[in-house]
Amino acid sequence: MGRRLRLALPLLVAASLLLACQPPGGSSTDGAGQHGSSEGEGEGEGEGEGEGEGEALLACEPLIEGATQIVEGDVLDVVVRCATGKVVDFDAPAISLAPAGLTLDPDHHVRWTTDLDDATVFDLEVQDPETGEAVRVHVAVADAFGVEGNVPVVDPATYTEEFGVPVLMLSRLPDAEAYVAVDIAADGHVYVGQTKLRGASSLGYPKRSFTLKFNRDDRFHLPARAGQTSADNFVDKKKVVLTTTFDDSSSVRQRLAYQLWNRTSAGPAHQHVQILSTSVVVYVGSDYLGLYTMSDHVDRDLFEESLGLHDDGQLYKSISHDANFRNVDDPGAGFERRDEPDVDAVVPYSDLAELIAVANSAATDSFAQSISPLIDVDDVQAWWVFATAILGEDSYGKNAYLYRPATSNDGSVPRFRFAPWDFNHAFGQAWETSRTASDVPVDRGWPMETNLLWQRLLEDPVAGVAMRAAYADALRQSLREDDVIALYEAMVAETERAARRDAAVWADDYVGYYGRTDAAYDDEVQLVRSWIAARWAYLRAVFPEHRSE
C-alpha cells in the first residue's frame, strides 16, 4: 500500500476509442454518475454549428458511472458514456500520476485491478473533443491494512483520504499532556508541529484524544470538500483538536453538536463564537488509528478570529459541576485558566468573581439588566437553547469556555462570551454511554441546578419570556427538525464506510471498556435518528408557540 506511481499514461489508454453511448440509466455510487459541462451552455439553438452540417453540435453530457472509493485488491471499473446518447470518439482519460495497468477498454470501461501497494488518489477525466464537455471523477483507493501481504504507507503526503474522509498521518502519538514534536501529513502537505494528549475521562480510553499545534509560519489548512459547508472549512489554524469517537458508536455526535451550536441563534443580530468541526481518519506511521472528530481549539485566538475580540483577556474553562456560578466564597471553584495572556490586564479570577457575585445578588425583576454589562446575554440564551435541545447535560455548567477581553474595539466595557464544549453526552447518550430519555425538562431540575445564569434569566419576568420565545423561534428556524435530521443524515452518509472500518477495529475494546453489546454501528445510528425525532416532538410540546410549517 501507499505507492503512488508517477508513470506516463499507458499507450492503450492514450488512444481514442469510439464509444457507443447509451441513454442514461441505472444507478451509481461513491460520487459516480457525475455530469460534465461545456462552455457556452445555455446558448441559443443554431449557434456553434458543425462544419458543413448547418446544425448545432449535439451535447454529450459525459458521465462516469461506477464505484470510485475502493480498497486495495478491488477492481476499479467505471463506465464512460454520454448521458444524451450521443456517439462520440472520446479523448482518452487524462490522469495525472496515472497508475500502471489502468486501461480504457473497447466496451467503454475504465478498469484497473489494484494490488496491495496501490493506495492512491487521482482524478479521472474524459472529454468530448467535439464540444469540449468534460467530466472528472475523484478516485481513491483505501489502504487494505490487516490483509496479509499489504504494503505499509511509504509516502504519507500522497495518502490524503479514505472512503471520502480526509486522512491525517502523524509520525507519532503523544504519551502525556505535554507537547512533543510530530510530523503531520494532511491534504498533500507535511507540517512540522507538536501534539499532546487532552481530555479527562477519555485519557483512560484505548483510543485517546489529542491536540495538534502548528508553527505560525505554516498553519494548518484542510478546506471543506464538495457537499460540505463553511462549518467544515479549516483554514489558517494554529491548533486543532482530534476528539476520539471511541465513546460514540455513531461517530458523529460531537461533530453534529458543534455544527448545531454554530447554527443556534438568539436573534437575527446575534453572533456567537463558531467552532468548526469535521471528520478525519488518523494514521500513526503506517498504523491505522481510526475515525476522529476534528474541531477548532477553543482559545483566545478563536474568539478573536470568530468575533473580532481582542486577545488580551482571561479565558476560563469550567472543568467540574462546581462551576455553576453559585460559589460566591470561592468563585474559582470548578474553573481553570486556559491560554493565559502574556500580561494580565486584570487580576486572574477577579472578573469571574464579579460575575458570580452579581449572579447571586441581583434582584430577580431586573436580573438581565444587572447582569448584561458583564455577560453577552444572547450567548447565554443560545447556550441554554442548544445544550438543552440536544440534552448535553455534561455541558450545562461544566465543559464550557468563558472569555472576557481586557479591552474592546469601541471603548465599551468588555463582556464575557461563552462557548460550550464536549458533547459525547448528547443525542440520547450520557458521557459513559448509558441511554438518556428524550423527555427531560429544559427549565427545571438539572439544567437550573448546574447553571445559575440560566435559572436567573428564566426567572426574570421579561428576559424569561424572551428566552422561551427564542427557544420556540429556534425550533422553527435555526434548529428546525427537518434541517437537524438532514444534517445528521448527511454526516452519516459521508462517514459510514470510515465508521464501519473504525468499528471493526475498536468494537472489542468498546465492549470490554463499557460492557455494552447493544451499541453496534447500525443500532447506534438508528438510536440517534429516533432520539432526535422524539426529542424535537417533546420540545414542540414544551414550547407550543412552535408550529410545523
Side-chain angles (χ1 to χ4, degrees):
M1 200 289 321
R3 180 164 54 88
R4 188 173 182 179
L5 300 178
R6 300 174 181 268
L7 301 177
L9 211 57
L11 290 177
L12 178 59
V13 179
S16 293
L17 299 175
L18 183 66
L19 302 183
C21 302
Q22 304 300 319
S27 60
S28 60
T29 60
D30 293 318
Q34 299 183 34
H35 291 253
S37 62
S38 63
E39 295 183 5
E41 184 175 337
E43 294 178 356
E45 294 184 4
E47 296 182 12
E49 296 177 347
E51 293 184 9
E53 298 294 331
E55 297 177 359
L57 294 177
L58 177 63
C60 169
E61 298 181 15
L63 58 81
I64 298 178
E65 292 182 328
T68 60
Q69 299 284 346
I70 61 176
V71 181
E72 288 176 318
D74 291 346
V75 177
L76 176 70
D77 187 352
V78 295
V79 179
V80 185
R81 64 183 179 85
C82 287
T84 62
K86 177 182 180 180
V87 177
V88 60
D89 188 7
F90 273 108
D91 279 351
I95 306 173
S96 60
L97 308 178
L102 185 143
T103 62
L104 174 57
D105 297 338
D107 60 357
H108 322 144
H109 286 251
V110 177
R111 290 189 175 94
W112 178 34
T113 300
T114 64
D115 207 342
L116 294 178
D117 62 351
D118 279 332
T120 190
V121 178
F122 60 88
D123 288 325
L124 176 66
E125 181 179 281
V126 294
Q127 185 178 65
D128 179 348
E130 185 181 50
T131 65
E133 295 169 282
V135 62
R136 178 178 297 174
V137 67
H138 199 56
V139 177
V141 185
D143 180 18
F145 67 84
V147 175
E148 185 177 356
N150 184 60
V151 178
V153 175
V154 175
D155 184 0
T158 65
Y159 191 64
T160 57
E161 65 180 77
E162 192 166 284
F163 305 126
V165 177
V167 168
L168 270 60
M169 304 200 77
L170 313 182
S171 61
R172 61 167 297 176
L173 278 181
D175 54 13
E177 294 178 86
Y179 280 114
V180 294
V182 65
D183 292 338
I184 307 154
D187 200 29
H189 182 73
V190 178
Y191 301 87
V192 177
Q194 300 177 66
T195 184
K196 68 174 182 178
L197 292 175
R198 64 175 294 120
S201 57
S202 65
L203 289 173
Y205 292 174
K207 176 187 169 192
R208 297 184 288 185
S209 302
F210 36 97
T211 300
L212 300 180
K213 181 179 179 181
F214 301 88
N215 293 331
R216 288 182 176 271
D217 58 353
D218 192 16
R219 298 183 184 183
F220 181 70
H221 289 254
L222 190 65
R225 302 175 304 287
Q228 294 189 321
T229 68
S230 59
D232 304 276
N233 193 43
F234 286 77
V235 177
D236 200 31
K237 297 295 182 180
K238 296 178 183 177
K239 293 180 182 179
V240 296
V241 173
L242 295 178
T243 301
T244 180
T245 60
F246 179 76
D247 48 17
D248 172 21
S249 295
S250 79
S251 296
V252 296
R253 277 187 171 93
Q254 298 264 14
R255 180 181 173 192
L256 180 62
Y258 292 127
Q259 293 204 14
L260 290 181
W261 161 251
N262 292 346
R263 295 182 177 198
T264 304
S265 174
H270 177 231
Q271 181 183 7
H272 56 62
V273 67
Q274 301 287 288
I275 302 174
L276 304 186
S277 62
T278 195
S279 299
V280 296
V281 172
V282 178
Y283 279 74
V284 181
S286 59
D287 296 328
Y288 175 86
L289 185 59
L291 184 62
Y292 275 74
T293 297
M294 183 173 72
S295 63
D296 271 322
H297 185 271
V298 180
D299 49 28
R300 290 181 294 116
D301 286 333
L302 184 63
F303 281 92
E304 178 184 23
E305 170 190 316
S306 185
L307 298 176
L309 303 179
H310 293 181
D311 66 351
D312 55 359
Q314 299 293 331
L315 178 69
Y316 305 99
K317 184 181 181 184
S318 52
I319 60 171
S320 79
H321 294 300
D322 290 332
N324 53 25
F325 306 103
R326 299 178 184 275
N327 199 332
V328 177
D329 295 330
D330 186 8
F335 292 95
E336 280 185 353
R337 291 179 75 200
R338 296 292 176 92
D339 190 25
E340 299 172 10
D342 295 334
V343 177
D344 287 322
V346 299
V347 176
Y349 293 100
S350 63
D351 47 0
L352 191 58
E354 180 185 13
L355 168 61
I356 291 174
V358 174
N360 283 269
S361 63
T364 299
D365 289 351
S366 58
F367 180 77
Q369 182 179 354
S370 299
I371 203 74
S372 60
L374 301 178
I375 66 172
D376 188 299
V377 172
D378 284 345
D379 269 14
V380 177
Q381 179 175 291
W383 180 14
W384 171 65
V385 171
F386 156 74
T388 58
I390 69 171
L391 205 64
E393 294 177 307
D394 205 35
S395 303
Y396 283 177
K398 176 189 173 187
N399 289 323
Y401 288 89
L402 291 70
Y403 179 64
R404 188 184 190 185
T407 57
S408 64
N409 292 320
D410 60 4
S412 61
V413 177
R415 297 178 297 170
F416 274 104
R417 305 302 300 265
F418 298 83
W421 184 256
D422 194 5
F423 294 101
N424 59 339
H425 185 140
F427 303 108
Q429 172 181 278
W431 64 273
E432 58 356 306
T433 75
S434 63
R435 299 331 195 182
T436 58
S438 59
D439 58 352
V440 178
V442 304
D443 56 0
R444 63 182 185 276
W446 185 247
M448 303 299 101
E449 294 171 16
T450 55
N451 195 313
L452 182 63
L453 297 179
W454 294 356
Q455 177 187 330
R456 301 226 52 204
L457 284 169
L458 284 167
E459 291 171 346
D460 183 305
V462 175
V465 171
M467 286 180 70
R468 289 179 169 85
Y471 213 128
D473 287 343
L475 293 174
R476 186 176 64 252
Q477 299 170 6
S478 59
L479 295 180
R480 197 169 68 96
E481 180 184 352
D482 288 349
D483 295 335
V484 173
I485 290 291
L487 180 62
Y488 172 67
E489 298 294 1
M491 290 181 182
V492 169
E494 176 189 324
T495 60
E496 179 180 358
R497 293 186 70 185
R500 290 187 185 280
R501 171 172 272 202
D502 181 275
V505 171
W506 292 104
D508 289 345
D509 292 277
Y510 180 92
V511 172
Y513 192 89
Y514 291 112
R516 304 192 69 89
T517 58
D518 61 347
Y521 175 73
D522 289 315
D523 296 333
E524 198 72 6
V525 167
Q526 182 56 42
L527 181 147
V528 174
R529 181 183 293 122
S530 300
W531 187 90
I532 291 172
R535 180 63 172 172
W536 259 247
Y538 169 77
L539 293 174
R540 285 193 294 270
V542 172
F543 298 99
E545 300 94 328
H546 171 73
R547 295 287 184 268
S548 298
E549 296 181 349

